[in-house]
Amino acid sequence: MAILTEELKEIIGEKNTLKSIATVSNNGIPHVVYKGSIHVEDDMIVFDELLESSQNTKNLVYSLWFDKKVSINILSADKRSFEIIGKPIKVTTCGHKFEAVYTKLQEIIPDTELSGIWYVEPIEVDEKTYTVRKRQQDDAYPELWHLDRLAVNK
């Protein structure tokens, strides 16, 4: 069963969508980076990591080796927000696909590097848009309403 809806795949594919990934180091220190290269292939989240020595690369390798999760956050042009929890399952560091991506990157940014093409398996998706979260909170926890809202909603 696919976790990513067709609508979310379209949002991820849009040029104006902001995309970030949050990883954690072996010391528990969070690290967040924006990744314009995040896209979807065969229901997997895929992105390019350019530098071998980046903190993101180190954290992704740690996550891969020790079965840790990452958080991918998506903000659409119309300000809808999504969190995708996933597990890094592989990194491509050579081969035809790697060479094709590397060549394309070189055309866009001469002298750039490509450390690897990362694949993250989505485990869960949660919409974090304020209006959606507010409705969920109100339904689940009506006791959290502010008193001024109770007076207005009589």
Side-chain angles (χ1 to χ4, degrees), residues 7 15-16 23 42 48 57 65 86 90 99 116 121 133:
E7 177 187 28
K15 182 180 179 182
N16 293 329
T23 59
D42 299 324
D48 308 330
T57 295
W65 285 357
K90 75 175 183 175
E99 186 176 350
E121 177 183 19
R133 291 287 299 125

Side-chain angles (χ1 to χ4, degrees), residues 4-136:
L4 303 175
T5 65
E6 291 304 315
E7 177 187 28
L8 184 52
K9 289 178 190 179
E10 287 178 24
I11 290 170
I12 292 170
E14 291 174 3
K15 182 180 179 182
N16 293 329
T17 296
L18 289 176
K19 302 165 250 193
S20 66
I21 181 166
T23 59
V24 66
S25 72
N26 61 341
N27 294 327
I29 299 170
H31 181 72
V32 178
V33 293
Y34 289 96
K35 287 286 178 195
S37 65
I38 288 177
H39 62 283
V40 178
E41 292 179 17
D42 299 324
D43 292 319
M44 300 291 281
I45 303 290
V46 181
F47 61 92
D48 308 330
E49 187 58 45
L50 303 183
L51 297 173
E52 290 284 346
S53 65
S54 74
Q55 188 62 50
N56 205 46
T57 295
K58 293 172 190 174
N59 292 357
L60 285 163
V61 169
Y62 170 73
S63 295
L64 184 64
W65 285 357
F66 295 101
D67 198 31
K68 302 296 181 185
K69 296 179 179 106
V70 299
S71 174
I72 297 167
N73 292 271
I74 306 299
L75 181 63
S76 68
D78 65 354
K79 304 301 181 209
R80 292 179 63 199
S81 177
F82 300 87
E83 180 181 39
I84 303 166
I85 303 297
K87 287 177 24 179
I89 60 161
K90 75 175 183 175
V91 59
T92 298
T93 58
C94 61
H96 296 297
K97 177 167 179 127
F98 182 89
E99 186 176 350
V101 171
Y102 183 59
T103 301
K104 186 175 180 180
L105 280 170
Q106 287 282 313
E107 291 170 3
I108 298 167
I109 310 167
D111 296 328
T112 194
E113 298 177 12
L114 178 60
S115 169
I117 304 165
W118 282 89
Y119 295 80
V120 176
E121 177 183 19
I123 297 170
E124 64 183 73
V125 175
D126 191 16
E127 185 167 355
K128 299 291 187 179
T129 307
Y130 173 75
T131 54
V132 172
R133 291 287 299 125
K134 174 109 174 55
R135 185 173 53 251
Q136 291 169 343

